[in-house]
Structure formats: structure tokens, C-alpha cells
Amino acid sequence: MPKLQTDYLIELIRTLTKAEKRHFRLLVKRNQANEELLFLQLFDLLDKHKRYDEALILRKIPAIKKRQLSNLKAHLYKQLLLSLRLLYRPHNMDIEIRERLDYARVLYNKGLYRQSLEILDKAKVTARNVRLNALTLEILDFEKLIEGQYITRSIDTRAETLAEESKEEIMRVSRTHEFSNLSLQLYGLYLKMGLVRSREEKDFVHVFFQKNLPKYDLDELGFYEKLYLYKAYDWYSLMNQDFLLYYKYAQRWVDLFDEYPEMVKLQTPLFLKGLHNLLNSLFMVGRYDKFVEVLERLESFDVKNTDKPTNNIEGLFFLFKYIHRINLHFIAGTFSEGVNILPKLDQLLSDNPYNWDDHRILVFRYKIACMYFGGGDNERAIDYLNEIINRRQPDFREDTQCFARILNLIAHFELGNETLVTYQVKSVYRFLIKIEDLHEVQNEILKFLRKLPKIYEYELKDEFTKLRDTLIKLEKHPYEKRPFVYLDIISWLESKIEGRTVQEVIREKFLKRQGIKTINVTD
């Protein structure tokens, strides 16, 4: 078994729960004779040590010969997957339907065509009920194979019926793939570009979207077609910084699941993603009351809707829960309170039991840094920003890379490291030029930081005011408002002008929006 596959085996074993391990052991002992349980001994050893050490294996299990180790690992991996498939079959309709397809194939090979067709017909009804169009089409193809080769005399109009059913399913599957392909391609652009930074980028995204958007009549679309259509519009509107349109389609996404409540359990990851996008859009447009309402729905979901959560579902749930718990503190300006959730999140990121990708971890690192910065702990903020800045392959989310560097400069300025700021400004400037991200907002901030050492203390307040007034004007520009999504630089400047903390300024703005006049940072 090659090294990569060995790593996959170890990774799979690490993700197993106690219930999954127990099910595997019971299944193996029930189906295998004692002399055939070498792979179970190998499993127990790997489970105990959590790493692969070939010398240790050969020493601890003398019955295993080195020449057979590769095949034994491959067999163990296959048996683990078989066990998990059997364990989760009742909770995954697609697995159950495919099993019926397997039974139908066995009966077909035995020449029992009527029995095969009966199983296929029942499987087709189930697939249609849960809107698995691709599987429905596969079942129809199998039915046509049998009807086309053998005289079953099932129904006089059988051929015409199957042909019409196939045409309908082909159309649904084709449209679903067109919408899902567009959504995935836009997601790839977002990972690379982030939000659009110029008219040229906006035009590029718009042309790409319109060119690849299929023609459709919304009333004729099924569940998955609508779902991927809304998903595509969400990426499109987010990239264009059209946050109201983003909110509109995120709400439609969630409403779609409310219209088809049975799909919540069948497509839990996509339902959670819809809630996540809706919360993101509410954060962007500043709808605090609605944000709290949707966040409560998200946080109560695992209790109300999940009877047997998978690692994937749990991972998405905690991912979105932490993102929006942090965003809640950002909106309300309660950074000092928010830092209390960070140690547990930091441990989760280090252990990474849910296999979160580098992109998600990168975003979390930046959000954690912002939380510490807002709470006045600049040293801790710098620690997390350095993890982003010092990445060896920062080939995605260049926008996060950009603002991590700017926030790093501001945090060093707060600590009085003016010499370091002067030196690093040049490095940040070169980085922004390299990624073609030196726009007006960044340029104004860097110019200000560059001349800071030459400004007398009594001049600082005026300089802060000038920069704030300049940025307020730029905030209204369609392609210059992007930095304010990532970093509330205006509130920081106001804190310097007024001699208060960033937290106090943001908290006061929040309370005014809520119609509350009194200020209490630790509410």
C-alpha cells in the first residue's frame, strides 16, 4: 500500500468515533474466523498509537509478515469503508437506493428480469421522492436495458413511458449540472479574487456569469435546480459587493428548505450553508435583530434536526457557529467578551478534527486577530496575523493576506513600534503592488503610516482627522468600500481622535443604531 494510501488509512482511523469502532469490531468478528483477524489486530494497534510505525507493527504482531503488510492495510481500509457504509445506510437514502440497484443487477445477471424490474421500480419511486435525479436517471437506464433486450410484457406502453421519463430526467439533471457548475466556478473565482476591486474585475465577473447562466423559467425548476441557481447568484452578488442582492438570494436559499422541509435532513450540509450565507449577508447589511434570530436558528439546529450527525455535518455546524459568534461580537462591539470563546476555537483549529481546509483556517486566524485587536490585545493580534503573513503558499484569498498586513502595521503602531512600522510599510507596499491591490484606501493608509515618525505628537490628532475624512469619502466608492468589510479602519481612527478604545467607538455606534443611548462596553 503506497505511502499516500497509508496516510489515508491513518487519517480515516483517527476520525472514527467510539460507536463506529465498536460497529467495525462487531461486524468483523461476526463475519470472519479468528485466524483471519490479522487486519483487526493491525487496526487495534494503529488505533492505539495514532501513527504508522512499520517496525512497531512487525514487532507487536509477529504473525504479520512484511511482504503481506501492504495488502493487509489495503484490506483494512476496505473493511472500514464497508463497515461505515453499513452503519450509515439507514441515514443516507442514496446509499440505500444504490444497494437496491446492486440487488437488481444480481437478479438481472441471474436472468430474473421481472424481479429485477420490481426492485428498480421501487428504487425509482424512492429516488424521485427525495429528488435524486441522477440516480433516477440511472435506474431508468437500467430499466430500458432490460425492456430493450427482453420481452417482459410488463405494460403495452412501457417503451414510450420510459422514453418520456428519461427525457424529463435528462433535462433536470442537465440543468442542475449547469447551475452547479456555474456556482462552483464562481466559488473558485472568489477564493482567488475575493471581492471585486475595479470596474474591469466587475465586468469580467458579470460577463462570465451571464455567459454561463442557463436560460430558465423559475416556475419549471425543481428543488436542486433552484438551489444551485440561488447559490450561483449568492457568489455573484457577494463578489460584486451587492450585499442586498446577496441577502435576497441567501434568504431564498433558506426559504427553499422551508418549502421542502423533508430536504433538511437529506441535504443538511446545503441547509447549513444556506443559513451561513444568510448570516453573512445580514452581517454585511447590518441587520442585527434578524442576525440574532437566524443565529439562534443555526445554533439550535443540531438539537432539533440531526438524529445521527456525521463528522461532515458536525464540522460545518461548528465552523458556521464560530464564524457568526465572532461576527456577532464584531457587530455589537463586545470584543472583550468575545475573546472568551477564542481559546476553545484555537484548540479546535490546532486539532482540526473536522479536516477544515486551509482557506477556512486562514479566515479564522484573521477573525481571531481582529477580535484581539478590537479588545486591545495587540500582541496577541500580531501573533495570529503573522501566521497568515508567513504562509509559504499564500495563493488564495489575497484580500485576507492584504488586510492582515495592514492590520499588522496598525497593531505595531499601537504598541509604539514606530521603527518597525516604517520598515514594514515598504514590505507591505511591495506586496500590494505584486498582487495588484494598491487601491486608494490602502494607499492612503500606507502614506499615513509612512510619515508617522515625522509627525509631532501635537499634530497627530489633525492627521488622524484628515485620514478619517478621506476614508469616509472613499467608503462610498463602489470599488473602494471593500477594505471596510475586512477592517473597520474608520472606527480605529475615531478612537485615536477621541482618545478612546476601538471597542468603545464601535460599541457606541452599535447602540445608536439600536436606539440605545447609554454605553456599557461589557454588556
Side-chain angles (χ1 to χ4, degrees):
M1 192 177 190
K3 184 178 185 302
L4 183 60
Q5 278 70 33
T6 299
D7 292 339
Y8 288 165
L9 173 62
I10 300 300
E11 187 177 16
L12 176 60
I13 292 173
R14 284 175 181 167
T15 65
L16 296 178
T17 65
K18 290 181 179 180
E20 290 167 344
K21 293 174 185 177
R22 180 175 179 274
H23 181 268
F24 172 67
R25 290 188 174 98
L26 288 174
L27 179 69
V28 168
K29 290 178 180 178
R30 183 180 63 189
N31 294 333
Q32 301 283 349
N34 289 335
E35 61 268 22
E36 297 175 340
L37 294 181
L38 281 180
F39 72 90
L40 181 58
Q41 296 179 50
L42 175 62
F43 168 76
D44 289 333
L45 184 64
L46 294 176
D47 182 39
K48 179 180 178 180
H49 292 277
K50 307 298 182 185
R51 62 186 180 86
Y52 182 75
D53 185 334
E54 187 171 299
L56 177 67
I57 292 170
L58 296 175
R59 186 171 70 252
K60 290 286 187 179
I61 314 176
I64 296 179
K65 307 304 178 186
K66 187 173 182 178
R67 64 179 180 276
Q68 70 182 138
L69 189 54
S70 179
N71 288 337
L72 202 60
K73 288 185 290 184
H75 184 58
L76 172 58
Y77 189 78
K78 181 179 179 180
Q79 290 298 315
L80 285 170
L81 292 179
L82 175 62
S83 173
L84 292 171
R85 181 181 182 276
L86 291 172
L87 179 62
Y88 289 108
R89 178 182 56 191
H91 306 280
N92 292 270
M93 291 305 300
D94 54 338
I95 295 178
E96 188 172 328
I97 293 168
R98 288 190 180 281
E99 186 176 68
R100 294 182 191 178
L101 271 168
D102 293 340
Y103 293 154
R105 175 64 67 176
V106 170
L107 291 170
Y108 167 78
N109 290 340
K110 295 284 290 181
L112 303 173
Y113 311 124
R114 287 188 179 278
Q115 293 183 43
S116 179
L117 284 171
E118 285 186 14
I119 288 180
L120 289 174
D121 190 57
K122 291 177 181 178
K124 183 170 63 177
V125 171
T126 303
R128 279 182 172 155
N129 287 340
V130 295
R131 297 172 179 81
L132 293 174
N133 304 113
L135 269 177
T136 303
L137 184 59
E138 187 176 344
I139 294 168
L140 283 165
D141 284 342
F142 199 175
E143 286 181 308
K144 288 191 294 183
L145 171 68
I146 298 175
E147 293 285 356
Q149 291 184 352
Y150 304 98
I151 302 173
T152 61
R153 295 187 177 88
S154 51
I155 304 176
D156 291 341
T157 59
R158 181 70 168 168
E160 291 78 7
T161 301
L162 287 175
E164 287 302 316
E165 288 179 345
S166 294
K167 288 179 183 178
E168 182 180 343
E169 292 303 328
I170 288 170
M171 181 183 66
R172 288 198 177 279
V173 170
S174 177
R175 280 195 309 213
T176 299
H177 279 292
E178 287 178 322
F179 288 129
S180 64
N181 287 344
L182 175 58
S183 171
L184 185 62
Q185 289 171 306
L186 288 169
Y187 178 56
L189 278 177
Y190 174 71
L191 290 181
K192 179 63 180 176
M193 295 171 52
L195 307 183
V196 295
R197 296 168 284 189
S198 64
R199 181 70 194 182
E200 290 74 20
E201 287 189 355
K202 184 181 179 68
D203 289 343
F204 171 78
V205 173
H206 176 73
V207 169
F208 178 86
F209 182 75
Q210 293 298 328
K211 180 181 178 181
N212 292 280
L213 180 66
K215 293 181 179 179
Y216 64 90
D217 182 341
L218 191 62
D219 294 332
E220 296 179 357
L221 301 185
F223 174 82
Y224 285 103
E225 294 154 288
K226 288 181 179 178
L227 178 64
Y228 288 114
L229 171 65
Y230 299 157
K231 194 175 183 181
Y233 264 106
D234 259 4
W235 287 123
Y236 172 71
S237 54
L238 176 60
M239 292 182 70
N240 283 322
Q241 303 183 62
D242 189 344
F243 301 134
L244 287 175
L245 188 65
Y246 181 36
Y247 168 53
K248 174 184 176 180
Y249 280 96
Q251 185 65 65
R252 285 189 178 184
W253 185 333
V254 174
D255 289 343
L256 183 64
F257 277 96
D258 291 338
E259 183 182 350
Y260 299 91
E262 72 279 6
M263 299 303 293
V264 172
K265 285 188 178 182
L266 294 171
Q267 288 295 345
T268 301
L270 289 173
F271 172 68
L272 291 175
K273 180 67 174 177
L275 288 177
H276 165 65
N277 281 5
L278 181 55
L279 284 164
N280 249 352
S281 67
L282 292 167
F283 175 72
M284 299 294 191
V285 299
R287 290 282 304 278
Y288 176 76
D289 292 341
K290 178 73 172 176
F291 182 94
V292 172
E293 176 188 324
V294 179
L295 181 58
E296 288 175 353
R297 182 177 181 181
L298 171 66
E299 292 187 330
S300 64
F301 170 78
D302 63 329
V303 177
K304 293 181 178 179
N305 295 287
T306 308
D307 52 359
K308 197 174 184 67
T310 63
N311 200 59
N312 178 46
I313 292 173
E314 285 186 355
L316 288 173
F317 172 76
F318 285 111
L319 174 76
F320 300 148
K321 176 182 175 179
Y322 274 109
I323 286 175
H324 297 297
R325 267 286 155 192
I326 290 174
N327 285 347
L328 183 68
H329 291 293
F330 285 178
I331 295 173
T334 51
F335 298 97
S336 296
E337 178 187 330
V339 296
N340 294 326
I341 69 173
L342 298 184
K344 188 174 181 180
L345 172 59
D346 192 46
Q347 186 62 50
L348 192 61
L349 293 174
S350 298
D351 296 340
N352 198 14
Y354 303 115
N355 299 311
W356 290 339
D357 56 62
D358 289 342
H359 163 247
R360 285 169 170 154
I361 292 175
L362 178 78
V363 171
F364 264 130
R365 296 297 186 198
Y366 183 74
K367 284 183 173 290
I368 291 172
C370 289
M371 185 78 83
Y372 279 121
F373 176 77
D377 191 344
N378 294 291
E379 290 184 351
R380 295 292 296 277
I382 290 170
D383 289 340
Y384 285 93
L385 293 169
N386 282 335
E387 291 186 36
I388 300 170
I389 295 168
N390 296 329
R391 290 183 64 84
R392 291 184 178 181
Q393 294 179 320
D395 54 350
F396 51 83
R397 287 309 295 267
E398 291 177 345
D399 47 4
T400 305
Q401 290 279 341
C402 161
F403 295 109
R405 284 165 166 78
I406 292 176
L407 183 58
N408 187 54
L409 291 175
I410 294 172
H412 276 295
F413 169 75
E414 288 283 14
L415 291 173
N417 301 330
E418 293 183 5
T419 303
L420 184 60
V421 170
T422 303
Y423 171 76
Q424 287 193 347
V425 163
K426 298 176 182 178
S427 175
V428 175
Y429 184 85
R430 287 194 298 269
F431 176 81
L432 297 179
I433 291 292
K434 180 180 178 181
I435 66 171
E436 299 179 348
D437 199 23
L438 188 59
H439 289 240
E440 281 299 309
V441 173
Q442 295 95 311
N443 194 39
E444 291 293 336
I445 295 171
L446 291 177
K447 283 197 310 186
F448 172 78
L449 292 172
R450 183 183 294 172
K451 68 180 181 181
L452 264 179
K454 302 175 184 178
I455 301 174
Y456 291 106
E457 188 171 345
Y458 69 86
E459 297 176 314
L460 272 177
K461 186 173 182 179
D462 287 340
E463 293 296 331
F464 281 125
T465 303
K466 290 178 184 177
L467 179 58
R468 181 202 60 185
D469 294 343
T470 300
L471 295 184
I472 287 175
K473 294 177 183 177
L474 290 172
E475 189 179 17
K476 300 175 183 178
H477 193 282
Y479 307 117
E480 294 294 343
K481 61 184 179 181
R482 181 175 65 101
F484 304 102
V485 175
Y486 296 91
L487 177 63
D488 192 349
I489 185 70
I490 292 176
S491 291
W492 173 71
L493 291 168
E494 290 173 349
S495 75
K496 306 308 294 181
I497 294 167
E498 299 168 14
R500 297 193 291 161
T501 65
V502 178
Q503 182 169 218
E504 288 173 334
V505 172
I506 295 176
R507 181 66 173 166
E508 182 183 62
K509 290 180 179 179
F510 165 74
L511 293 173
K512 283 183 178 179
R513 289 195 300 270
Q514 298 302 114
I516 303 171
K517 294 183 179 180
T518 56
I519 300 175
N520 185 353
V521 173
T522 60
D523 268 1

